[in-house]
Every structure is written in C-alpha cells, then in structure tokens.
C-alpha cells in the first residue's frame, strides 16, 4: 500500500507511531519518518493511524481505505 | 474548455506537481483526455525521503511511490521520454521520440535538476553523485552500505546537511565543505546557520566552512580525494554533490514563454506569461519550475522548491484550467518547508530571505531548540522552528496578517532583533530553495536586497 504524509502539516503528535510503529517512527524529539509503502499486512493499522492523526496529515491511496 | 466539457490536457512532468494536478482535474470532474509526460521511467514518486529515510537501512529508495488520491485509470502515461518543445501555434507538446501531443491546456511541471559539479570529467568519476532521483538515492545508499572510510558532502544546504546527518547516524566519518560561513546560510541566514553548524559539529561532522572544493581526484575512474581551496586534501570513498538545483526550462526555449534559469514566469493563478509580459490562455505552470508573484510579498516573483508548493500550485493551476473565468483563484498559501537532520526537526513558514533581521521568540538558539521570527522592518515575513514545530501554525497566522513579531517569552524573554545575516542575493552559493526574483514577469534577476543591506 502507498501512503504519504504532509510533513508541513504534521505536528509530531505521534499517534501514528503508537498505532503503526512499523510504518511510522519519531526521530529525535518531534520529527516523523515513515515508510511510504508499508506491507499490506499493516493496512488496518496504517488506516487507523491515518484516521487518528489529529491534523489529518496522512494520505492513503484511494481505494485502500 | 470547462470541467463538464471534454478537452485535452497534457501535463509535462510526472512528479508530485504533475500527479496532484492530474488528480485535481479528475476530482473536479474533468472528463477529457489526460496525458502525463515524464522523462524518468517511473510513475510519480516522492523525493524528500530520498535524502532521509531512504538512506537508512529502513525504507528502500524504491519504496517511495506516491499514493493516488483520485482515479487515474484512464490517464495516458508517457514515461521515460522527455518533452523537447512546446509548439504554441500548433498547440502541441513535442517529445524526444518525435511524438506530437495535441493539447487544449498544458501544465508545465518539469521541476528542477541538480546543479552539476562543474567539471564533467570529475563528475563522471565513480563515487561522485548528486541526489535527486530514486536511482541517485540507491547508488548513494549502496555506497554507504559498503562502509566508505569517509564521505565528502559538497554544499551544506538542506540536502547536503541531511546526507551528512545520515552518515553520522550510520557511524560513518563525514566531511562537509561549505562555501559560506555556515550551513543553511542561503535559506535561513547566518544566525540560524551558526546553530546548524553547532548541530553538525556536535554530531561529529568534520565541517569546513568558508572553503570550496577545487578538484575531485580519482584513480582508475574512482573518486579518491578532493583538494580544497585552503590547500588541504580530504580522502573519501564517496562525494555527494549538493549544490542546489537548476530549473528545467530549456525545452521551452523556443516557446515564446517568459522562462529561464529562475523558472517559468506565471501569474498567481499559474497561467504562464509570454516574453511580451502577457498571460497565455492555455499554458500553466506549477511546482518547483513555476515562478509566480506572491500576494503576501508585494507580488515579488517567487520560485519555491517546496513539497507543499507543488501540491497547492498544481491544484490551483488545475482548477484555473477548467473553471469559468470569474471562478479563477490565486495561489496565496504561505510557503512552508521542513527538514530533518541531526535529531532536529527544522520547519519554516514564509520567505526568510526577504528579512533583514531575526528575533528568537521562544526557546534557546544556543541549545538548538527555538522558534524565531524573520523581520522586514517591523513586519514578520517568515518564521523558523528547531524542535518547536507545534508553534509554527501560530506564526503562520501572524505572517498571513503581516503582523509584527510576537514578544519573546520564556527562555527567550528580553531577546532583541539582530541582523539575520543573509548573503547578498547574487553571491555564488548553492541555489537556495526559495528564489526571489523581482516583480517583472520577463526579467529574471535575483535582485532584491533585504532591508538594511542596501547601504553597502
């Protein structure tokens, strides 16, 4: 699956890193690093993470939600 | 041509702006034919990770494909072939293989390429590489995996600094050579550059400022060492060239459009200008290649190498391509960008290089955790945060209102504004990611001098 995070919008709430730690990681104090093509088996967690983002910075490829 | 009426749109450039432009057209109900031309053989992928996560042992560079945010099932993709000309009289885009693609509207989103190392023979040495494409990132990552005894980074802008950060994260010795007094001086000025230098040195980077690389030396076709302007030599197994970018406008040379090294000039709605200074009806530009007058900055023409600018600029251009005349809108969002390096989240809004002064308003610059306002006279024109990203939205709102800087609080209490120390716009540093180039659609000089520096 393909995702992208708008890092200008991301404020480092880190909800995604709690919900899908294999796809999202916090680097340093507040920077987000992520896997733009996480394994399909992570889909449910990644979609949850996108939904839980307080600033809705995560986009998931259409048709995959 | 309008949203409900079919027509032919050709998008030249298959990266972020091209993709988002195509998606916007379809989302707005455009039912005509849509062709996307890209010189790389890949479908659109995201570039920011290529100098960050993709160089770690985690995300491979090949895993950076951009998600589709609309159904593009019926798009005619022409990948792996460059556009070589725009024939406005015939209303056709000409491709390198001789194909001519007729259009009713065309979106120019050809982006930028790396400014190459000036000596072609030296640039061709194995182990000398810039970073722009997925392949660049793969080659550099493979070199890093092989454990070179040292990495040389030429140019300490954002990309060079990010690569140096990855090297230290991987435990590799790295030398960074920067022509200016500090890293990031072009985009953020000397005061913040000094903070960036502190981060690099604390992380163990061998940072050499006020120095240039005079020659890259090889043996048996492989890069081996670099000789510097201070007479020293750096032996390294990999040289990463990070000297900023050049805009891909050469293919438009005979188009009659107002374009050149600083971009394709367009109006705030993305409509391209012709060389006579008149907006063209059918040609639009978006992304890194577009140079447009920004309402927030007294209509100075800006060319922005920002992710956000590619997305918003493409959406605006797509909208204006197919909407009715009174519904056209301008690209007025505040420029924004980010970088991640040495454990620090660097974010900025506005155009720092338009400022004369800087005021640290929160946190401590010495400790590398702060928010700062950039000022042109009393007015805040930009802000930057180092590990203070959550406050940036507040500064963005103030910038939109042309407000003065907030009063410094907490650790920053009592701070006063100081010279932000931007280099002269014409100075030969790496090209900064924001190019400010005057108010004329057809002349292109990086001529604006920040307030307070015009007495030199």
């Amino acid at each position: 699956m393909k995702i992208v995070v708008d890092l200008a919008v991301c404020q480092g709430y880190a909800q995604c890193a709690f919900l899908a730690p294999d796809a999202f990681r916090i680097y340093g104090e507040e920077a987000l690093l992520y896997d733009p093509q996480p394994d399909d088996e992570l889909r449910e967690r990644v979609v949850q993470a996108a939904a839980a983002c307080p600033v809705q910075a995560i986009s998931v490829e259409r048709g995959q939600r | 041509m309008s949203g409900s009426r079919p027509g032919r749109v050709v998008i030249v450039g298959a990266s972020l702006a091209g993709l988002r432009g195509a998606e916007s057209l379809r989302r707005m109900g455009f039912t005509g034919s849509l062709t996307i031309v890209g010189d790389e053989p890949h479908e659109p992928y995201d570039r920011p990770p290529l100098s960050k996560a993709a160089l770690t042992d985690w995300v491979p560079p090949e895993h950076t494909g951009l998600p589709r945010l609309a159904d593009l099932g019926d798009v005619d993709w022409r990948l792996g072939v460059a556009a070589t000309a725009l024939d406005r009289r015939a209303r056709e885009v000409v491709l390198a293989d001789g194909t001519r693609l007729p259009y009713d509207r065309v979106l120019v989103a050809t982006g930028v390429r790396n400014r190459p190392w000036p000596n072609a023979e030296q640039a061709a040495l194995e182990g000398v590489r810039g970073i722009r494409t997925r392949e660049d990132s793969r080659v550099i990552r493979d070199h890093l995996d092989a454990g070179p005894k040292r990495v040389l980074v030429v140019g300490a802008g954002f990309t060079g600094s990010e690569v140096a950060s990855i090297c230290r994260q991987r435990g590799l010795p790295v030398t960074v050579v920067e022509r200016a007094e500090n890293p990031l001086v072009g985009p953020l000025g000397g005061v913040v550059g000094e903070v960036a230098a502190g981060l690099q040195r604390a992380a163990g980077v061998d940072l050499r400022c006020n120095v240039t690389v005079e020659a890259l030396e090889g043996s048996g076709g492989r890069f081996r060492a670099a000789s510097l302007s201070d007479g020293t030599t750096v032996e390294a197994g990999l040289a990463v060239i990070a000297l900023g970018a050049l805009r891909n406008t050469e293919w438009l040379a005979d188009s009659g459009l107002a374009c050149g090294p600083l971009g394709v000039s367009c109006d705030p709605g993305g409509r391209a200008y012709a060389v006579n200074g008149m907006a063209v009806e059918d040609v639009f530009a978006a992304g890194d290649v577009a140079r447009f007058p920004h309402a927030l900055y007294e209509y100075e023409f800006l060319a922005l190498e920002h992710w956000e600018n590619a997305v918003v600029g493409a959406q605006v251009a797509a909208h204006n391509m197919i909407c009715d005349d009174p519904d056209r809108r301008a690209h007025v969002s505040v420029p924004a960008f980010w970088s991640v390096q040495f454990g620090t989240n660097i974010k900025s809004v506005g155009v720092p290089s338009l400022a004369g002064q800087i005021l640290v308003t929160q946190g401590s610059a010495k400790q590398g955790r702060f928010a700062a306002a950039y000022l042109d006279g009393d007015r805040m024109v930009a802000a930057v945060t180092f590990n203070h990203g959550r406050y940036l939205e507040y500064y963005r709102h103030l910038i939109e209102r042309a407000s003065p800087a907030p009063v410094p609080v907490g650790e920053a209490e009592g701070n006063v504004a100081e010279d932000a120390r931007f280099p002269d716009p014409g100075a030969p540093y790496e090209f900064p990611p924001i190019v400010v180039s005057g108010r004329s659609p057809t002349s292109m000089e990086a001529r604006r001098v920040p307030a307070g520096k015009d007495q030199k």
Side-chain angles (χ1 to χ4, degrees):
Chain A
M1 67 183 302
K2 289 180 187 167
I3 61 169
V4 70
V5 181
D6 185 337
L7 292 171
V9 170
C10 171
Q11 295 199 18
Y13 283 101
Q15 295 300 306
C16 55
F18 289 118
L19 286 164
D22 292 329
F24 303 96
R25 295 178 188 173
I26 296 297
Y27 167 72
E29 286 184 33
E30 59 173 48
L32 178 69
L33 295 181
Y34 67 98
D35 183 349
Q37 285 177 236
D39 283 346
D40 280 334
E41 62 194 46
L42 297 175
R43 174 165 312 188
E44 199 178 328
R45 285 165 171 271
V46 169
V47 170
Q48 276 176 3
C53 174
V55 292
Q56 291 291 291
I58 304 169
S59 298
V60 178
E61 185 151 274
R62 195 170 174 273
Q64 296 186 331
R65 273 181 194 272
Chain B
M1 200 176 93
S2 76
S4 51
R5 253 179 294 145
R8 298 160 301 181
V9 172
V10 175
I11 297 178
V12 186
S15 194
L16 180 62
L19 176 66
R20 291 292 184 258
E23 290 166 353
S24 297
L25 286 167
R26 286 292 186 239
R27 282 178 143 182
M28 290 182 291
F30 172 68
T31 56
S33 79
L34 196 45
T35 305
I36 303 180
V37 178
D39 62 345
E40 292 185 56
H42 311 293
E43 290 200 4
Y45 61 91
D46 208 24
R47 295 185 200 275
L50 298 178
S51 56
K52 305 178 185 77
L55 295 181
T56 66
D57 59 5
W58 182 30
V59 177
E62 295 77 15
H63 269 207
T64 51
L66 282 162
R68 301 276 177 83
L69 304 181
D71 185 1
L72 297 181
D74 55 357
V75 165
D76 177 13
W77 294 89
R78 304 292 180 105
L79 299 175
V81 54
T84 52
L86 182 69
D87 184 340
R88 286 170 51 215
R89 195 165 296 282
R91 294 154 75 92
E92 289 173 337
V93 174
V94 184
L95 306 188
D97 63 6
T99 308
R100 299 179 76 95
L101 300 170
Y103 65 81
D104 295 301
R105 297 275 191 276
V106 61
L107 177 63
V108 174
T110 42
V112 298
R113 64 182 182 279
N114 286 333
R115 188 154 65 133
W117 181 249
N119 181 312
E121 205 175 308
Q122 295 172 14
L125 290 170
E126 198 208 324
V128 176
R129 194 85 182 194
I131 184 161
R132 170 82 36 199
T133 66
R134 196 177 255 185
E135 287 77 13
D136 292 334
S137 186
R138 166 52 64 190
V139 166
I140 289 172
R141 177 176 164 136
D142 288 347
H143 270 279
L144 298 180
D145 285 345
K149 64 177 177 185
R150 177 168 292 276
V151 176
L152 171 70
V153 176
V154 186
F158 285 108
T159 306
S161 299
E162 287 168 0
V163 171
S165 171
I166 294 285
C167 290
R168 292 309 302 141
Q169 216 177 308
R170 283 169 160 255
L172 295 169
V174 57
T175 296
V176 175
V177 176
E178 168 57 45
R179 179 174 213 147
E181 72 197 37
N182 279 307
L184 309 182
V185 162
L188 295 176
V191 173
V192 174
E194 218 169 281
V195 179
L199 292 177
Q200 297 215 8
R201 294 201 165 103
V205 173
D206 169 31
L207 175 64
R208 319 267 189 100
C209 294
N210 297 309
V211 174
T212 57
V213 173
E214 298 207 318
L216 302 172
E217 293 152 18
S219 68
R222 288 180 74 108
F223 169 68
R224 188 188 61 78
S227 50
L228 310 186
S229 58
D230 62 1
T232 59
T233 299
V234 176
E235 290 187 13
L238 171 68
V240 178
I241 309 297
L243 296 171
L246 303 173
R247 279 153 180 86
N248 292 321
T249 59
E250 290 80 359
W251 70 284
L252 295 168
D254 298 324
S255 67
L257 295 178
C259 61
L262 300 183
V264 177
S265 300
C266 55
D267 76 7
R271 282 199 305 175
Y273 283 115
V275 287
N276 60 7
M278 294 173 69
V280 171
E281 188 60 28
D282 310 328
V283 184
F284 291 73
D288 292 0
V289 78
R291 165 186 184 266
F292 67 101
H294 201 299
L296 256 185
Y297 298 102
E298 289 99 42
Y299 295 93
E300 283 274 354
F301 277 80
L302 306 178
L304 303 164
E305 285 175 49
H306 297 164
W307 197 90
E308 205 79 12
N309 173 60
V311 172
V312 179
Q315 287 168 344
V316 168
H319 170 85
N320 291 340
M321 271 184 180
I322 60 169
C323 72
D324 291 334
D325 172 51
D327 298 329
R328 285 191 168 146
R329 57 188 171 89
H331 179 4
V332 291
S333 60
V334 183
F337 74 89
W338 74 88
S339 172
V340 177
Q341 49 184 275
F342 306 104
T344 300
N345 192 33
I346 300 177
K347 295 182 90 167
S348 171
V349 288
V351 182
S353 58
L354 288 175
Q357 294 199 301
I358 186 170
L359 172 61
V360 175
T361 43
Q362 289 176 269
S364 157
K366 276 202 180 68
Q367 289 175 24
R369 301 178 67 258
F370 66 97
Y374 286 91
L375 300 166
D376 180 16
D378 286 338
R379 182 191 159 185
M380 182 160 58
V381 291
V384 66
T385 58
F386 276 46
N387 281 347
H388 265 52
R390 76 191 68 168
Y391 301 107
L392 202 60
E393 190 65 7
Y394 165 67
Y395 289 84
R396 189 174 67 80
H397 285 303
L398 292 178
I399 293 164
E400 279 176 337
R401 287 162 180 71
S403 301
V407 174
V409 292
E411 287 169 272
E413 197 177 327
N415 281 355
V416 291
E418 59 184 305
D419 184 353
R421 305 212 313 266
F422 280 100
D424 288 333
Y429 300 131
E430 67 268 13
F431 285 12
I434 303 180
V435 178
V436 180
S437 53
R439 290 192 186 81
S440 158
T442 54
S443 88
M444 294 197 189
E445 294 169 53
R447 63 149 187 83
R448 191 185 192 281
V449 180
K453 285 208 169 173
D454 50 357
Q455 302 304 321
K456 260 186 188 170

